Amino acid sequence: MHIPVRQRWEEGDPVVHEGMSLLASITTESLEYLHPNLENDEDSPETPQDIIKFADLVSLNFDTRRKMFGDIALGSMNLMMIETMKKWGFSGKFSGSGGCVLSVWNGKSHKEFPKKSWKEKRWLNFIECKKELQKNGCAVTIVSAQEAYE
C-alpha cells in the first residue's frame, strides 16, 4: 500500500508532496483542539466548536490520504466504515493502514434528536452507527481518554 506512494514522492508527484505537507499541517493544527474546554457546553444542544473543528481536521486527514492512496488501496470495507460513520455524524480516519478507524463526533448526523444535549445526540447516533457497522461485520468499541483528564 505504501510503496507506490513512496515511489510517487521520490518522483516528485505534486499530489503526494502537497498531501504530505497538508497532513503535517493538519497534525499541528489538531493539537489545538485535543483538550477542548467543555465546562459551559455540557447541556447545550449545539456541539462545541472545538470538537467540530477537530472533527473537520480528522475528515480532511482521511480525504487527503484517500486522494494519495486511492480507493482500491484503501479497500471497500474500510471505505464503508468511514461512510457509515459520516452518515451518523462522525468524522473518521484510519488509525494506521486500515482495518481500525478513529471516529470523532462532528454534529452533522442525518438523524435529529430535538431537545437533546450534544452529548446525548452523540451517544444516540453512536448507538445507531454501531448497529449498522456490526450488521456489516465490523467490531465496534469505545476508547476514550476523557477520563484521564477529569
Side-chain angles (χ1 to χ4, degrees), residues 45 88 107-116 121 124-125:
W88 290 104
K108 300 172 188 164
S109 173
H110 76 286
K111 187 170 185 179
E112 291 299 320
F113 294 97
K115 300 183 182 177
K116 300 285 185 186
K121 291 176 189 177
L124 293 168
N125 277 281

Side-chain angles (χ1 to χ4, degrees), residues 4-13 16-18 20-21:
V5 172
R6 180 178 179 122
Q7 183 177 354
R8 288 170 51 208
W9 168 269
E10 290 170 352
E11 293 170 355
D13 184 328
V16 175
H17 278 261
E18 290 167 16
M20 292 297 182
S21 264

Side-chain angles (χ1 to χ4, degrees), residues 76-90:
S76 60
M77 186 70 153
N78 290 324
L79 294 172
M80 179 277 299
M81 288 189 290
I82 297 292
E83 291 305 317
T84 301
M85 289 188 310
K86 279 184 184 178
K87 173 181 162 185
W88 290 104
F90 295 89

Side-chain angles (χ1 to χ4, degrees), residues 1-145:
M1 173 194 252
H2 294 101
I3 291 172
V5 172
R6 180 178 179 122
Q7 183 177 354
R8 288 170 51 208
W9 168 269
E10 290 170 352
E11 293 170 355
D13 184 328
V15 170
V16 175
H17 278 261
E18 290 167 16
M20 292 297 182
S21 264
L22 182 55
L23 290 172
S25 66
I26 290 168
T27 301
T28 302
E29 190 175 350
S30 294
L31 294 174
E32 294 177 39
Y33 304 110
L34 282 178
H35 305 288
N37 179 4
L38 306 179
E39 289 176 23
N40 299 322
D41 295 317
E42 292 293 317
D43 299 319
S44 170
E46 299 300 319
T47 303
Q49 286 301 305
D50 282 358
I51 291 176
I52 291 172
K53 288 176 185 173
F54 183 72
D56 289 345
L57 290 168
V58 168
S59 288
L60 182 57
N61 178 290
F62 172 76
D63 293 342
T64 302
R65 289 180 180 276
R66 186 176 191 176
K67 191 182 295 183
M68 289 189 304
F69 288 92
D71 287 357
I72 292 172
L74 297 181
S76 60
M77 186 70 153
N78 290 324
L79 294 172
M80 179 277 299
M81 288 189 290
I82 297 292
E83 291 305 317
T84 301
M85 289 188 310
K86 279 184 184 178
K87 173 181 162 185
W88 290 104
F90 295 89
S91 295
K93 68 172 285 316
F94 305 133
S95 61
S97 296
C100 183
V101 179
L102 161 89
S103 67
V104 179
W105 174 247
N106 65 27
K108 300 172 188 164
S109 173
H110 76 286
K111 187 170 185 179
E112 291 299 320
F113 294 97
K115 300 183 182 177
K116 300 285 185 186
S117 73
W118 71 270
K119 283 190 167 189
E120 291 169 312
K121 291 176 189 177
R122 177 184 63 182
W123 181 249
L124 293 168
N125 277 281
F126 171 76
I127 291 169
E128 295 301 319
C129 182
K130 179 179 178 180
K131 287 179 194 175
E132 189 171 334
L133 287 168
Q134 288 175 327
K135 184 175 73 176
N136 287 301
C138 300
V140 180
T141 190
I142 297 174
V143 178
S144 173

